[in-house]
């Protein structure tokens, strides 16, 4: 890899300071968006969902684990899938280290998939994760939150995802949703994000964005075609990897 251009330290610093001004502008915009996100109205969750958990059947309110806020990863692992989505696994690889810090700010975390609990537990053990992961198998939860689709929708490649009608060939898609619970135990939906919004869980991407080659995804069949389950990387990855199950930029 060769540098695109070279310069002396003084010229580099001048350009770096100009970029810093733009970075600070982006940070301030991010703060404004976060404030607007917090100001969104809440939607009361009147529909009851039952999840299969290692502790037995539990409702959505039970998943908060004593906290008033809950982050949910809509993890792509369908009932007939043999393993979890590589990209969702890439997201989940960042989770365990955050749990204590989230809990310190009154936030719980759970991953939810449509696969039966036994299949979830088998894959979780393989990947070595400790975060809570439950099954929505047999409920409408994934459908209602726009991350699972019927065979007819898949065949037509037309599903309502990321707040619009879009063509995808998968019956599962990724997402992150946020819920809150008040003192009376009532649960509210406060926010959901899909498509590139799920990059909020991908700290590796933020570090790659600092490097000269960046994410280095140009020329791949899809943007996350290089991603593997962390126990499937080769010691010397090929320059161009195969496909991923959810590399959309939607």
């Amino acid at each position: 890899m060769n540098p695109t251009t070279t310069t002396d330290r003084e010229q580099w610093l001048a350009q770096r300071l100009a970029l810093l001004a733009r970075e600070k502008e982006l940070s301030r915009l991010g703060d404004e968006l976060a404030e607007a996100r917090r100001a969104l109205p809440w939607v009361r969750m009147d529909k009851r969902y039952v999840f299969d958990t290692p502790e037995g059947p539990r409702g959505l309110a039970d998943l908060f684990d004593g906290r008033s806020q809950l982050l949910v990863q809509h993890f792509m692992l369908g009932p007939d899938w043999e393993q979890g989505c590589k990209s969702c696994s890439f997201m989940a690889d960042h989770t365990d280290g955050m749990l204590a810090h989230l809990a310190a700010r009154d936030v719980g975390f759970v991953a939810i998939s449509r696969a039966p609990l036994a299949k979830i537990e088998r894959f979780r053990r393989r990947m070595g994760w400790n975060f809570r992961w439950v099954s929505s198998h047999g409920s409408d939860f994934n459908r209602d939150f726009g991350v699972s689709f019927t065979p007819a929708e898949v065949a037509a490649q037309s599903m309502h995802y990321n707040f619009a009608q879009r063509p995808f060939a998968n019956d599962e898609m990724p997402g992150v949703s946020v819920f809150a619970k008040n003192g009376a135990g009532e649960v509210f939906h406060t926010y959901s994000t899909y498509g590139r919004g799920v990059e909020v869980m991908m700290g590796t991407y933020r570090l790659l964005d600092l490097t000269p080659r960046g994410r280095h995804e140009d020329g791949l069949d899809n943007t996350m075609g290089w991603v593997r389950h962390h126990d499937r990387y080769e010691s010397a990855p090929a320059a161009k990897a195969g496909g991923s199950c959810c590399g959309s930029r939607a």
Side-chain angles (χ1 to χ4, degrees):
M1 180 175 59
N2 297 314
T4 53
T5 59
T6 60
T7 187
D8 58 31
R9 178 61 61 179
E10 183 178 356
Q11 289 297 317
W12 179 91
L13 182 59
Q15 293 188 44
R16 178 64 188 94
L17 289 174
L19 179 60
L20 179 61
R22 296 179 62 194
E23 290 174 336
K24 287 185 175 295
E25 182 181 355
L26 179 60
S27 295
R28 288 191 291 270
L29 178 58
D31 292 341
E32 293 175 13
L33 287 172
E35 185 175 352
R37 190 179 298 120
R38 292 189 295 270
L40 283 172
W42 295 4
V43 178
R44 188 192 309 274
M45 296 291 296
D46 292 323
K47 186 172 182 178
R48 177 166 173 75
Y49 300 100
V50 177
F51 303 93
D52 192 11
T53 83
E55 298 76 36
R58 295 290 187 270
L60 184 58
D62 301 316
L63 303 183
F64 282 72
D65 198 23
R67 299 177 179 89
S68 69
Q69 302 167 98
L70 179 68
L71 284 165
V72 170
Q73 179 188 1
H74 300 288
F75 197 117
M76 295 170 63
L77 179 53
D80 58 345
W81 291 30
E82 291 304 314
Q83 59 184 356
C85 163
K86 292 179 291 184
S87 300
C88 289
S89 298
F90 179 59
M91 295 164 62
D93 280 335
H94 298 81
T95 299
D96 280 341
M98 296 189 292
L99 295 178
H101 305 290
L102 291 171
R105 305 312 296 159
D106 191 30
V107 179
F109 176 90
V110 65
I112 299 178
S113 300
R114 281 200 307 138
L117 185 62
K119 183 172 289 188
I120 288 173
E121 284 294 292
R122 185 164 58 250
F123 184 65
R124 187 172 67 84
R125 286 192 297 269
R126 169 190 152 187
M127 302 305 287
W129 295 324
N130 296 310
F131 58 80
R132 196 171 192 189
W133 193 354
V134 304
S135 171
S136 61
H137 187 66
S139 83
D140 296 329
F141 183 79
N142 286 52
R143 285 280 298 163
D144 291 348
F145 282 88
V147 291
S148 293
F149 310 99
T150 67
E153 289 170 328
V154 174
Q157 292 196 19
S158 178
M159 52 271 290
H160 194 79
Y161 178 69
N162 202 10
F163 309 106
Q165 207 70 19
R166 303 178 186 277
F168 291 115
N170 292 319
D171 59 351
E172 304 281 337
M173 291 297 287
V176 177
S177 289
V178 186
F179 300 88
K181 183 166 65 171
N182 64 17
E186 299 171 307
V187 176
F188 301 84
H189 175 221
T190 69
Y191 181 75
S192 285
T193 187
Y194 308 96
R196 291 198 66 180
V198 304
E199 289 183 10
V200 69
M201 290 184 62
M202 300 176 181
T204 299
Y205 260 161
R206 294 293 171 254
L207 292 179
L208 288 175
D209 287 343
L210 303 180
T211 65
R213 296 178 73 178
R215 303 183 185 190
H216 195 49
E217 295 176 334
D218 293 342
L220 297 180
D221 293 336
N222 61 67
T223 56
M224 298 187 75
W226 63 274
V227 171
R228 297 287 182 269
H229 293 115
H230 62 239
D231 61 349
R232 295 293 187 265
Y233 280 111
E234 301 173 6
S235 57
K240 182 174 179 179
S244 170
C245 56
C246 57
S248 169
R249 290 293 195 190

